[in-house]
Amino acid sequence: MFGNSEGTGTLAAGLTITIGGAGFVAGNLYFRNFTQTGATAQSLNVTGTTVFTNYNSTWGGDLTVSSPRITTRGTVYDGSTSLTKTSSGSDDSVGGNIFNSDVSFTNSSTSRMRLSNSTGDDFNGSVSYIKTSTGGLNPAYNGTSTYAGDINFNTNTAITLASSSGIVELDGTVAESINDLAATSEPTFRRLVLNNTVNEITLNTPITASTAITFTEGNFITTDANLLTLNDNISMFGASDDSYVYGPVEKIGNDAFSFPVGDSGLYRPISISAPSSGSARFRARYYEQNPDPSYTYNLLDGDMNNVSSREYWILDRTSGTNTVSVTLSWDSNSGGVGSLPDLRVARWDGAKWANHGN
């Protein structure tokens, strides 16, 4: 044990910690109130039934740890960090850690690896979650974990972030992305907050938000292949010109819903009435551009004068047969909106713009 109770331990700059020839195969390898000065890389590989624990410590350099069991609490990691769990015995890390560079968490065991069990962690670099065996991987389990860089996945089964009462907050000040490093199953974020003050968050893999999603600052950039899906009964907060989805977003369920879509700094929701089925799926996207020539505005129902050349929405029913009522929004960029009673909702029916009333 390095440090205990009020004791402290310090590793001088330029020095390394090594495992002896007989190895470290049982008991606890415990770093408490421990400080590494300098930035010399450390690599610790322990086996057997060892529990590796970091508690209120600081690592100044890159750190690589492979251990049957791993927990970390209240520790600062200044260098790139790799923590790999290799054997049985469930591990619940308390949390309250600060990762100032890139970090990877790997569970190659048959037992649980839970992160932020009580308190959220703070990630200032990119984070990679890797799962290669049957053991569970539970990131951001409780508290609010903040992510200022990319989130990467390489997991052999789907995992859920914030699966207890946790929150994942994307709080970067540079562009962020969520990525699939291999053939990862779609991850689920139970509670997700967008709070990137100056940049976008790009999805390079499809994700699901299941319980709550909050739009504060920054936009999600999505595609049909890298889709944001919102589950039935999800709570949504705060979409605005400062924070929305640029690209398609899909909603599952029987809730009346306003899709948080926008383009070019404009939040322009499209809303649907409640479908009758909990498995109904609708997908929406907003474009601040002329629908012509893809949907030519020369082909109109006889009682219509013209359609907007400023903007349009795509709304598709992707599963089920439910019908819904649709409500569109308008703003100063819409152009020519002088008398609301004169406006109509127009839908491209495959051959022309059909009049769907006011």
Side-chain angles (χ1 to χ4, degrees):
M1 177 179 288
F2 293 82
N4 183 24
S5 186
E6 300 303 318
T8 61
T10 301
L11 180 67
L15 300 184
T16 59
I17 298 171
T18 58
I19 305 297
F24 199 113
V25 298
N28 294 291
L29 181 53
Y30 204 117
F31 291 83
R32 181 174 183 178
N33 304 327
F34 169 84
T35 301
Q36 178 198 4
T37 59
T40 301
Q42 309 292 323
S43 182
L44 300 170
N45 183 10
V46 294
T47 58
T49 59
T50 303
V51 180
F52 182 94
T53 300
N54 274 327
Y55 183 10
N56 290 354
S57 294
T58 299
W59 294 88
D62 295 349
L63 175 66
T64 301
V65 175
S66 177
S67 175
R69 299 183 62 188
I70 294 177
T71 62
T72 178
R73 174 180 181 180
T75 292
V76 177
Y77 300 85
D78 284 329
S80 295
T81 301
S82 173
L83 302 178
T84 301
K85 173 181 171 59
T86 61
S87 192
S88 60
S90 295
D91 294 329
D92 297 341
S93 290
V94 171
N97 305 286
I98 300 172
F99 297 88
N100 286 320
S101 190
D102 296 347
V103 57
S104 67
F105 299 94
T106 301
N107 190 357
S108 62
S109 79
T110 58
S111 299
R112 180 178 73 215
M113 185 181 193
R114 179 173 291 169
L115 307 168
S116 309
N117 189 47
S118 299
T119 305
D121 293 317
D122 182 19
F123 299 99
N124 295 311
S126 294
V127 184
S128 296
Y129 294 114
I130 303 165
K131 190 171 90 70
T132 61
S133 187
T134 58
L137 182 56
N138 311 132
Y141 192 72
N142 278 311
T144 299
S145 292
T146 55
Y147 295 77
D150 299 339
I151 303 178
N152 306 309
F153 294 97
N154 184 359
T155 63
N156 58 355
T157 60
I159 68 170
T160 297
L161 291 81
S163 54
S164 180
S165 61
I167 297 170
V168 171
E169 180 176 352
L170 306 174
D171 71 339
T173 56
V174 297
E176 297 179 76
S177 61
I178 299 177
N179 307 294
D180 175 15
L181 300 181
T184 299
S185 299
E186 183 171 329
T188 295
F189 294 73
R190 285 199 69 194
R191 296 168 195 83
L192 182 59
V193 176
L194 279 70
N195 193 21
N196 188 313
T197 56
V198 296
N199 253 298
E200 317 285 17
I201 299 142
T202 300
L203 295 190
N204 294 314
T205 185
I207 69 168
T208 295
S210 63
T211 300
I213 184 167
T214 301
F215 293 86
T216 304
E217 295 278 353
N219 304 322
F220 260 142
I221 299 177
T222 66
T223 64
D224 286 322
N226 301 307
L227 185 66
L228 172 64
T229 299
L230 306 178
N231 274 357
D232 191 19
N233 298 320
I234 193 170
S235 298
M236 189 182 75
F237 307 97
S240 69
D241 287 349
D242 295 322
S243 189
Y244 53 79
V245 178
Y246 174 65
V249 57
E250 186 155 304
K251 177 65 172 63
I252 302 172
N254 58 358
D255 311 311
F257 190 72
S258 182
F259 290 87
V261 291
D263 187 0
S264 303
L266 299 166
Y267 167 55
R268 298 304 310 279
I270 179 173
S271 302
I272 58 173
S273 61
S276 59
S277 170
S279 61
R281 301 177 76 116
F282 286 83
R283 184 180 301 185
R285 178 171 185 172
Y286 169 72
Y287 294 86
E288 197 211 7
Q289 63 187 54
N290 192 340
D292 189 76
S294 298
Y295 311 99
T296 177
Y297 46 60
N298 293 322
L299 299 173
L300 306 172
D301 267 353
D303 56 350
M304 294 178 63
N305 181 273
N306 60 77
V307 296
S308 173
S309 62
R310 301 287 188 90
E311 60 187 351
Y312 66 101
W313 291 259
I314 296 288
L315 177 67
D316 289 320
R317 182 178 56 205
T318 58
S319 180
T321 58
N322 294 175
T323 58
V324 295
S325 297
V326 178
T327 303
L328 304 182
S329 59
W330 63 277
D331 208 336
S332 57
N333 74 301
S334 300
V337 178
S339 174
L340 287 179
D342 292 338
L343 290 181
R344 298 293 182 267
V345 173
R347 180 180 68 88
W348 182 258
D349 65 6
K352 64 182 184 309
W353 287 100
N355 185 347
H356 281 263
N358 183 292

